[in-house]
Amino acid sequence: GQQLNQSPQSMFIQEGEDVSMNCTSSSIFNTWLWYKQEPGEGPVLLIALYKAGELTSNGRLTAQFGITRKDSFLNISASIPSDVGIYFCAGLSTLYSGGGADGLTFGKGTHLIIQP
Amino acid sequence: DSGVTQTPKHLITATGQRVTLRCSPRSGDLSVYWYQQSLDQGLQFLIQYYNGEERAKGNILERFSAQQFPDLHSELNLSSLELGDSALYFCASSVDGADNQPQHFGDGTRLSIL
């Protein structure tokens, strides 16, 4: 099946630092999504990317859909304590010719820890 | 708040038993997805329904089944439970299941098998 390789697995940073994480795959995806999950909660959508090459920002977050459609990255600028959590990339591929999609394929997550 | 509601939040049961997890999608969303999250496998897609019909299947065991009702809520049935079924089960919904629609997740049901 499809697999996403997400790195790094964890990051220990100081408040105020910029963060970068990425996902790569051997398969093509039509959509890339980035989610954040905190303890006891479900994944919360951060950014959705629908076109190869697309660069999208959401506040301090910026994500890009790779030109090859096999990769994506997420950057967080000027990290703050509430950025702590697990960040997941997810890819979506088209199952049906009419544009219907299969379920999301998730990376293993990047655990972001901010040191005081 | 994503607008996706899952009940119950926690479920504790024994091996061999059967449980039903419930999901109400966001208002207006026709497609429902079920995912399993475990420490060793991460988040895995189980099954998708669109407007009452099964649309796609992922890594769903034969002991598991799901359905989506006319009011669009969905239930995931897990039977002959094993210790390895202990996990978080998430429901997500999207407008019409197309690949240009994001999926929004509920807060999950934590299933513990004793």
Side-chain angles (χ1 to χ4, degrees), chain A residues 27-42:
Chain A
S27 304
I28 288 174
F29 290 100
N30 295 326
T31 297
W32 283 90
L33 305 170
W34 285 91
Y35 290 88
K36 178 187 177 188
Q37 187 177 21
E38 297 184 44
E41 298 181 4

Side-chain angles (χ1 to χ4, degrees), chain B residues 47-85:
Chain B
I47 197 164
Q48 178 199 5
Y49 278 80
Y50 171 73
N51 206 19
E53 299 289 327
E54 180 184 307
R55 177 174 266 189
K57 263 186 173 179
N59 301 320
I60 189 166
L61 299 172
E62 285 191 12
R63 299 184 285 110
F64 296 0
S65 65
Q67 53 184 329
Q68 186 179 26
F69 295 87
D71 67 353
L72 301 177
H73 91 271
S74 178
E75 292 180 355
L76 179 67
N77 302 297
L78 316 177
S79 61
S80 302
L81 287 167
E82 302 174 0
L83 292 177
D85 297 329

Side-chain angles (χ1 to χ4, degrees), chain A residues 31 35 37 94 96 99 101 104, chain B residues 35 37 48 55 97 99 102-103:
Chain A
T31 297
Y35 290 88
Q37 187 177 21
T94 300
Y96 299 99
L104 290 168
Chain B
Y35 292 84
Q37 186 176 36
Q48 178 199 5
R55 177 174 266 189
D99 62 359
Q103 294 177 27

Side-chain angles (χ1 to χ4, degrees), chain A residues 30-31 35 37 40-43 45 50 88 92 94-96 99-104 106 108, chain B residues 33 35 37 40-43 45 48 55-56 90 97-107:
Chain A
N30 295 326
T31 297
Y35 290 88
Q37 187 177 21
E41 298 181 4
L45 182 66
Y50 301 113
F88 292 97
L92 196 59
T94 300
L95 183 64
Y96 299 99
D102 204 339
L104 290 168
F106 278 87
K108 295 291 188 188
Chain B
Y33 306 78
Y35 292 84
Q37 186 176 36
D40 54 344
Q41 296 292 326
L43 270 157
F45 167 63
Q48 178 199 5
R55 177 174 266 189
F90 288 104
D99 62 359
N100 62 351
Q101 296 292 333
Q103 294 177 27
H104 298 272
F105 283 74
D107 283 339

Side-chain angles (χ1 to χ4, degrees), chain A residues 71-93:
Chain A
D71 63 299
S72 177
F73 71 75
L74 174 71
N75 289 337
I76 305 173
S77 63
S79 59
I80 59 177
S82 62
D83 291 334
V84 166
I86 303 176
Y87 291 79
F88 292 97
C89 62
L92 196 59
S93 58

